[in-house]
Amino acid sequence: MSFESLGLAPALLRALAEQGYAEPTPIQAAAIPVVLEGHDLLAAAQTGTGKTAAFALPLLHRLGATPQRGPRRPRALVLTPTRELAAQIDDNLRAYARHLQVHSAVIFGGVGMGPQVQALRRGVDVVIATPGRLIDHMQQRTVDLSGIDTLVLDEADRMLDMGFLPALKRILGALPASRQTLLFSATFAAPIKALALQFMRRPREVSVTPPNSVAQRIAHRVHPVDAANKRELLLHVLSEDSRRQTLVFSRTKHGADKLVKYLEQAGLRAAAIHGNKSQNARTRALADFKGGRIGVLVATDIAARGIDIDQLPMVINFDLPMVAEDYVHRIGRTGRAGADGLALSLVSHDESGLLRDIRKLLDQDLAIVEVAGFEPSAPLRLDAGAPRPKQGQRQPRPPRQGGAAQGAPRSHGHGQPGGGNPHAAGNRKRRRPRRPAAKA
Ligand code: AMP
């Protein structure tokens, strides 16, 4: 199938050719005709499938065909959970709309309202916003939503996870009832269906991958390791891997910061991206990563949501997410747009239960591969009683440099047999973890 056969405007086709898009991705091929026909749409698609263009292209096609005369007021609203995703959607939209007279503004928190107010005042066709900041503008009457006839809820599942439901309801209540609503979500969990039932009109459903599944071209690998040795194993993996850039996931902001410090001390160029960082710091870290100035980006789940980095060869889960669905989101960063990818998870005994959840969700066994020198003192458990960390639990404190094997044993708590105690490994010989040479 070609973009031409979808009936998109020549100005869009030109922009797509300039972007190097040869043909629509499956979600684009399925969604674009439905949106062009004016139907509401419920689309199951994860990041990396080309979902942004799936809604942006038909939207721009319509907006470009009916240019506004006189002062512009927003006609389309795209709601998205994070600032990074909002900025990225705006970038994509501008690239696709470069030969059209369609203007957009992006609105998110963490930066001053002034420039956003000015952009809205100058007049735009599309507003891309995170819910909280949009409500600020609604309260200050600096945004006019009375002309919105298309609403896109992007990453709707994540918006619900992040507690945006009350904000969403408030925004939806302020929009004209007669509108087209497009909802994109990586998964079709029950709350998404409920949202759709409440706010959409007989939506058509499009799902290019079975719900809760992950891109086929991603290989999954688990390295079992004692929690206390995870940092050294990470360093080892990063040093062994010749690929340029790696995204590493950390469950906590504090953990992400500590990991970056550790990697930097080992000579790697790394940066953290999480909710406690200023918007400027997040933007800079992402730009440095995309520009190849840093090799390792350590991110928390929420901050990483929606980051678009082309063809990332590998993502590493330094620790597993508490919620199995987040694993799907995390690994959506690799194997993107048809490229092969590797999702590597460093899993300690206390995370066995989380690994079990992920295997169940994916309905797939993940290859468990021990790394020489980092064999765990207790094997992972995948039975019903598998242990899992308590919510909000801090990561176990790693040993001091060089103390992993020969230092005083630390208890990992939560009933783990052996708990990182080298003497608890029975007859099993524990070798000292290798310390790899630092990468420049
Ligand atoms: P998304 O899922 O919207 O975040 O898109 C993932 C990546 O695929 C982005 O880098 C897009 O620029 C790229 N992309 C989207 N559609 C196409 C296409 N039809 N052909 C090639 N790349 C695409």
Side-chain angles (χ1 to χ4, degrees), residues 3 21 23-25 28 47-52 88 308 310 336-337:
F3 281 112
Y21 293 6
E23 55 179 32
T25 64
Q28 291 161 6
T47 306
T49 55
K51 68 183 170 63
T52 311
Q88 189 179 299
D308 176 29
D310 277 345
R336 314 194 69 179

Side-chain angles (χ1 to χ4, degrees), residues 113 117 120-121 136-144:
M113 283 185 79
V117 172
L120 291 167
R121 214 177 273 152
D136 291 344
H137 281 280
M138 286 161 62
Q139 277 168 341
Q140 300 193 14
R141 299 184 189 284
T142 43
V143 66
D144 173 8

Side-chain angles (χ1 to χ4, degrees), residues 10 13 17 31 71 91-92 118 213 232 245 275 313 318 418 422 436:
L13 296 177
D91 285 348
N92 285 354
Q118 282 160 22
S213 83
E232 292 208 39
Q245 290 181 302
F318 182 75

Side-chain angles (χ1 to χ4, degrees), residues 180-204:
Q180 185 180 29
T181 304
L182 317 175
L183 185 152
F184 286 75
S185 170
T187 60
F188 272 171
I192 295 294
K193 289 274 188 180
L195 190 71
L197 267 179
Q198 208 179 337
F199 294 107
M200 300 173 80
R201 284 173 313 172
R202 283 176 279 113
R204 301 285 168 93

Side-chain angles (χ1 to χ4, degrees), residues 244-248 269-271 273 282-298 307-310 312-315 333:
R244 239 164 33 100
Q245 290 181 302
T246 308
L247 181 60
V248 176
R269 282 166 300 162
I273 181 165
R282 287 160 65 159
T283 307
R284 197 175 337 112
L286 192 56
D288 283 348
F289 187 62
K290 283 189 176 187
R293 290 179 290 280
I294 58 170
V296 186
L297 188 65
V298 183
I307 303 177
D308 176 29
I309 299 148
D310 277 345
L312 207 54
M314 172 162 72
V315 297
R333 315 296 120 177

Side-chain angles (χ1 to χ4, degrees), residues 131-438:
R133 178 53 69 92
L134 182 65
I135 287 184
D136 291 344
H137 281 280
M138 286 161 62
Q139 277 168 341
Q140 300 193 14
R141 299 184 189 284
T142 43
V143 66
D144 173 8
L145 298 179
S146 65
I148 298 291
D149 56 19
T150 307
L151 169 69
V152 181
L153 295 171
D154 191 32
E155 311 232 337
D157 50 342
R158 176 50 56 124
M159 283 203 269
L160 298 189
D161 287 351
M162 288 170 69
F164 281 138
L165 186 59
L168 282 184
K169 285 189 167 164
R170 197 160 154 199
I171 295 165
L172 284 155
L175 298 180
S178 154
R179 59 160 197 268
Q180 185 180 29
T181 304
L182 317 175
L183 185 152
F184 286 75
S185 170
T187 60
F188 272 171
I192 295 294
K193 289 274 188 180
L195 190 71
L197 267 179
Q198 208 179 337
F199 294 107
M200 300 173 80
R201 284 173 313 172
R202 283 176 279 113
R204 301 285 168 93
E205 286 190 21
V206 165
S207 173
V208 285
T209 46
N212 300 343
S213 83
V214 296
Q216 297 298 312
R217 300 183 66 168
I218 299 175
H220 306 261
R221 196 181 306 153
V222 170
H223 287 334
V225 59
D226 284 341
N229 296 336
K230 269 194 184 185
R231 295 198 316 185
E232 292 208 39
L233 177 54
L234 176 67
L235 200 53
H236 172 70
V237 169
L238 291 172
S239 310
E240 294 260 298
D241 193 274
S242 56
R243 289 176 263 218
R244 239 164 33 100
Q245 290 181 302
T246 308
L247 181 60
V248 176
F249 283 94
S250 158
R251 204 151 55 213
T252 65
K253 301 171 204 170
H254 183 61
D257 283 338
K258 283 205 313 196
L259 209 49
V260 164
K261 230 181 232 166
Y262 175 79
L263 294 174
E264 282 180 339
Q265 276 167 5
L268 299 191
R269 282 166 300 162
I273 181 165
H274 58 63
N276 283 0
K277 298 264 177 192
S278 69
Q279 185 53 40
N280 281 345
R282 287 160 65 159
T283 307
R284 197 175 337 112
L286 192 56
D288 283 348
F289 187 62
K290 283 189 176 187
R293 290 179 290 280
I294 58 170
V296 186
L297 188 65
V298 183
T300 55
D301 287 292
I302 288 174
R305 192 71 174 153
I307 303 177
D308 176 29
I309 299 148
D310 277 345
Q311 307 203 328
L312 207 54
M314 172 162 72
V315 297
I316 298 180
N317 296 308
F318 182 75
D319 32 34
L320 290 181
M322 295 300 283
V323 182
E325 276 83 2
D326 280 343
Y327 181 86
V328 178
H329 296 306
R330 286 181 176 192
I331 66 166
R333 315 296 120 177
T334 186
R336 314 194 69 179
D340 288 321
L342 174 64
L344 188 64
S345 303
L346 312 186
V347 182
S348 51
H349 180 84
D350 60 302
E351 297 173 302
S352 298
L354 304 180
L355 181 63
R356 191 167 178 267
D357 295 346
I358 291 165
R359 283 165 44 122
K360 235 161 100 182
L361 180 75
L362 302 182
D363 195 20
Q364 189 177 340
D365 283 341
L366 311 186
I368 297 181
V369 183
E370 290 195 354
V371 180
F374 294 93
E375 295 88 348
S377 53
L380 297 176
R381 275 181 63 178
L382 295 166
D383 56 288
R388 57 187 71 233
K390 290 186 196 78
Q391 191 87 39
Q393 184 172 305
R394 290 183 55 190
Q395 292 165 341
R397 185 139 41 118
R400 287 172 200 281
Q401 291 273 344
Q406 77 269 54
R410 290 174 194 278
S411 167
H412 292 195
H414 33 265
Q416 176 181 338
N421 180 345
H423 304 295
N427 294 333
R428 195 171 184 149
K429 199 168 151 243
R430 281 196 82 244
R431 277 189 282 149
R432 183 178 171 187
R434 271 191 278 154
R435 187 183 308 287

